Amino acid sequence: MRRLWGRLNSVNVQKAVWGLEELGLAYERVEAGGAFGRVREPAYLALNPNGLVPVLEEDGYVLWESNAILRYLARGHGAGALWPEGARARGHVDQWLDWQAGTFTPAMRDVFWQTVRTAPAAQDAAIIARSVAEAEACAAILEAHLRGRAYAVGEDFTAADIALGCAAHRWLHLDVARVERPALRDWYARISARPAARGALPPLS
């Protein structure tokens, strides 16, 4: 039995859901985190002592951290597809997974929380402006990399596109002014049209 714990409005849960759907793996998703609670309950903390989502359970095996889950799924079920052949291609997939988690998503965290999850009267324009500037620097890096490319790594869709795609979904749907990035837009349109993406990328909330 395979179970994924986490709410779908979490960008980290979206990565795991997209990976599972892309690979056609059967799973049950259990709402947890945010308004659904559960993550501070002893039973959940026994799965993930951080009290965060997502958590993957698979026949007694427990794994947390969204990109670790994505790597596990890709390596175990998507070798040659989500997880390309060749050490150098895999190194580039890892590079973009780490950049998404450590750079791009943190850069936009404050603007997301301020504009999506904070009441308008309580929003801080300075915090929003700083976060937008940091996210724009990341978007410029991604734009330059994607120019002339169909996918993030090599000629095929990989786990890197899933992680980056979930972050781009958040960035491109924030209610802020952004620099137009045509390569980023074209790549996002291409990957978000995949059937597996449709159920993994809900409106921001």
Side-chain angles (χ1 to χ4, degrees), residues 28-200:
E28 171 196 12
R29 186 171 64 82
V30 181
E31 300 284 15
F36 298 98
R38 289 184 165 169
V39 295
R40 291 299 169 188
E41 296 174 2
Y44 189 87
L45 291 171
L47 298 175
N48 183 355
N50 301 288
L52 299 172
V53 293
V55 169
L56 179 71
E57 287 187 277
E58 190 178 78
D59 299 324
Y61 177 71
V62 176
L63 185 64
W64 39 266
E65 289 296 329
S66 60
N67 281 0
I69 293 170
L70 190 53
R71 286 184 176 99
Y72 169 75
L73 294 171
R75 287 169 177 165
H77 303 279
L82 294 187
W83 201 250
E85 300 294 343
R88 291 185 175 183
R90 291 174 177 178
H92 279 150
V93 171
D94 274 328
Q95 167 188 280
W96 288 109
L97 288 173
D98 289 351
W99 183 82
Q100 172 273 311
T103 304
F104 191 20
T105 295
M108 74 179 88
R109 180 176 293 124
D110 284 345
V111 64
F112 171 78
W113 276 92
Q114 286 286 317
T115 62
V116 176
R117 295 187 178 168
T118 300
Q123 292 175 9
D124 187 316
I127 290 175
I128 293 171
R130 183 176 65 247
S131 184
V132 167
E134 291 172 357
E136 283 285 19
C138 294
I141 290 171
L142 199 51
E143 171 74 12
H145 174 71
L146 291 170
R147 205 170 288 134
R149 299 174 186 267
Y151 299 107
V153 176
E155 300 300 318
D156 299 306
F157 181 89
T158 68
D161 293 289
I162 292 177
L164 292 171
C166 289
H169 175 74
R170 175 167 285 189
W171 171 240
L172 293 172
H173 288 87
L174 290 171
D175 187 18
V176 295
R178 281 175 299 274
V179 174
E180 187 56 35
R181 314 275 184 191
L184 175 57
R185 284 277 187 187
D186 289 349
W187 163 80
Y188 172 75
R190 184 180 309 113
I191 65 170
S192 63
R194 296 173 72 89
R198 293 172 191 160

